[in-house]
Amino acid sequence: MWTLVVNGGSSSLKFALLESDSGEVALSGLAERLGSDGASVRVDRGDERVTVPLPRGSYPEAFGVLLAELDALGLRERVRAVGHRVVHGGERFSAPAQITPEVLEAIRACVPLAPLHNPANLAGIEAAQAAFGELPHVAVFDTAFHQTMPQVAYRYAVPEAWYSQHGVRRYGFHGTSHAYVAGEAARLLGRPLEELNLVTAHLGNGCSVAAVQGGRSVDTSMGLTPLEGLVMGTRSGDVDPGLPDYLARQAGLSLTQITAALNKDSGLLGLSGLTNDLRELEQAAARGHAGAQLATEVFVYRLAKTVAGMAVALGTLDGLVFTGGIGENSAAVRAATLARLSLLGFRLDEAANAGAVRGQAGPITAPGSVPALVVNTDEERMIARETAQLVAGGP
Ligand code: AMP
């Protein structure tokens, strides 16, 4: 089923028209700088790329260009459904949902949990509904996959009322990616997903690890917000919860400033003082840059500790999956992580690891090792698949 996948960000809008079974992409694109001067939308159709300015810089304007492109290519009639990435579905959504006024209201109710993301997702949905009013629209939530976590994994040791009255618990994110790569790993391992205990590591600009038991998430490293857990590009991951109070008193920073710094100035960028881009850090580390070396070492150390923690959640381990820009491309991060995890039974195949780059999925461990694999994530394809399944199966 040809499905339009829409991912609305705060100032960007990504879209792709793809066939949910084969994954064939007919058209994709990205609108950027929405809401400000100089907004434009880029559309990729096969080998061709066009960029169209958006004078009003609005979502509806971006959809207008998309509609015109679909018409020009004769693709509009093919579109059967629209799938939307929605970051936070709270406890309400454990699966994709066909968008109704009530579902929209529930997504709006989750805005306090994701104040930057959910409003942008809502704006994308509204503009898409105006442009494709006659089609079914489906919301696919980043949090939904992790709703199978047991309480022991999702509850914080804080006053119970914070949970019952304010929803303070661990939700987890990147669910679409974790679910997709777990399925792909099972296929590559030639075993049914239902039998496998897998740890999936989504390592991009945002990073998270999940423990996936028989295809269901039983633990993950992100929490109430996507700030918890691993070291990321610009996010700190775990810090002492006493840090904000200490810094407020010592440095006179406000809570807003501290939260912004933990989200935007920390992680690989904060540790290295250089960049959030791991590829650049690897180059700088090779030239002897001490901050770059430290940043990558802390990144790997924390990743390995977290993967080992996820093995505890699973009891036994049948495989570790690396995905995301870093997971798919950095042979050095994969090798250093597996070296730290030798106690879990990993033994690297250096040649396979060196050869596994984007576009080449497969195992990177030696015979007899617990398998570690590189899998290329494809969130758009997963959203298209889930949307098509829901639409084909009825509401
Ligand atoms: P993503 O958010 O999934 O696009 O991932 C972005 C991260 O992947 C950035 O830190 C990039 O530096 C990193 N990355 C992309 N390509 C490479 C590469 N060839 N080697 C190392 N890191 C890479």
Side-chain angles (χ1 to χ4, degrees), residues 1-3 17-26 78 180 184 187 378 380-382 384-386 388-389:
M1 180 187 295
W2 285 93
T3 305
L17 175 62
L18 63 164
E19 212 290 318
S20 54
D21 289 326
S22 67
E24 182 190 342
V25 178
R78 283 200 203 171
Y180 179 78
E184 287 297 294
R187 203 174 53 77
D378 193 340
E380 277 79 22
R381 184 167 182 190
M382 188 70 176
R385 205 189 274 170
E386 298 210 295
Q389 273 167 7

Side-chain angles (χ1 to χ4, degrees), residues 19-363:
E19 212 290 318
S20 54
D21 289 326
S22 67
E24 182 190 342
V25 178
L27 173 151
S28 65
L30 172 68
E32 287 181 293
R33 299 177 59 89
L34 294 172
S36 58
D37 289 345
S40 64
V41 57
R42 189 196 78 210
V43 183
D44 291 311
R45 39 187 208 204
D47 300 336
E48 252 187 298
R49 170 176 286 195
V50 288
T51 302
V52 181
L54 301 171
R56 288 193 301 281
S58 67
Y59 284 93
E61 203 183 10
F63 275 103
V65 172
L66 172 59
L67 280 174
E69 283 295 317
L70 290 173
D71 283 338
L73 297 168
L75 293 171
R76 187 158 169 178
E77 272 61 51
R78 283 200 203 171
V79 190
R80 289 282 170 275
V82 186
H84 296 267
R85 175 179 182 233
V86 178
V87 167
H88 219 306
E91 286 190 328
R92 161 76 196 269
F93 296 104
S94 55
Q98 187 144 351
I99 298 177
T100 60
E102 198 222 340
V103 165
L104 274 181
E105 207 38 58
I107 296 171
R108 215 164 274 128
C110 293
V111 164
L113 288 166
L116 297 179
H117 293 105
N118 273 31
N121 301 152
L122 282 163
I125 292 172
E126 276 157 19
Q129 282 184 321
F132 299 91
E134 72 290 1
L135 295 177
H137 289 249
V138 171
V140 178
F141 299 90
D142 259 25
T143 49
F145 181 59
H146 301 299
Q147 278 296 302
T148 46
M149 284 195 287
Q151 283 216 51
V152 70
Y154 74 69
R155 288 292 292 275
Y156 292 115
V158 296
E160 193 278 334
W162 293 5
Y163 170 59
S164 53
Q165 292 174 22
H166 303 295
V168 173
R169 53 159 283 178
R170 309 184 61 253
Y171 292 95
F173 299 87
H174 292 145
T176 303
S177 178
H178 288 297
Y180 179 78
V181 299
E184 287 297 294
R187 203 174 53 77
L188 287 165
L189 291 169
R191 293 182 59 190
L193 181 60
E194 295 69 32
E195 286 176 10
L196 292 173
N197 279 339
L198 298 171
V199 175
T200 51
H202 178 105
L203 310 173
N205 223 342
C207 300
S208 70
V209 168
V212 184
Q213 190 157 58
R216 293 155 62 89
S217 173
V218 293
D219 203 353
T220 190
S221 58
M222 283 180 170
L224 175 72
T225 74
L227 187 54
E228 187 176 335
L230 302 175
V231 173
M232 313 185 206
T234 63
R235 283 175 246 163
S236 62
D238 290 344
V239 292
D240 187 328
L243 178 149
D245 178 66
Y246 174 79
L247 263 184
R249 284 185 286 111
Q250 290 296 311
L253 297 175
S254 70
L255 207 50
T256 309
Q257 287 172 316
I258 295 167
T259 305
L262 290 173
N263 275 292
K264 297 194 175 118
D265 307 329
S266 301
L268 294 172
L269 171 65
L271 273 166
S272 68
L274 200 63
T275 172
N276 63 327
D277 189 301
L278 185 90
R279 190 173 7 191
E280 285 175 33
L281 285 176
E282 287 183 340
Q283 288 158 2
R287 291 194 304 270
H289 189 288
Q293 287 166 352
L294 177 69
T296 46
E297 278 168 24
V298 176
F299 180 90
V300 165
Y301 178 66
R302 291 263 297 271
L303 170 61
K305 280 212 303 188
T306 308
V307 170
M310 292 298 156
V312 173
L314 293 169
T316 60
L317 189 56
D318 299 310
L320 168 62
V321 182
F322 289 96
T323 193
I326 295 172
E328 291 170 32
N329 292 295
S330 176
V333 162
R334 295 191 301 251
T337 306
L338 292 186
R340 285 201 177 270
L341 288 170
S342 57
L343 89 164
L344 291 182
F346 289 105
R347 281 195 300 118
L348 185 73
D349 177 334
E350 280 181 31
N353 185 44
V357 289
R358 200 158 240 174
Q360 265 184 296

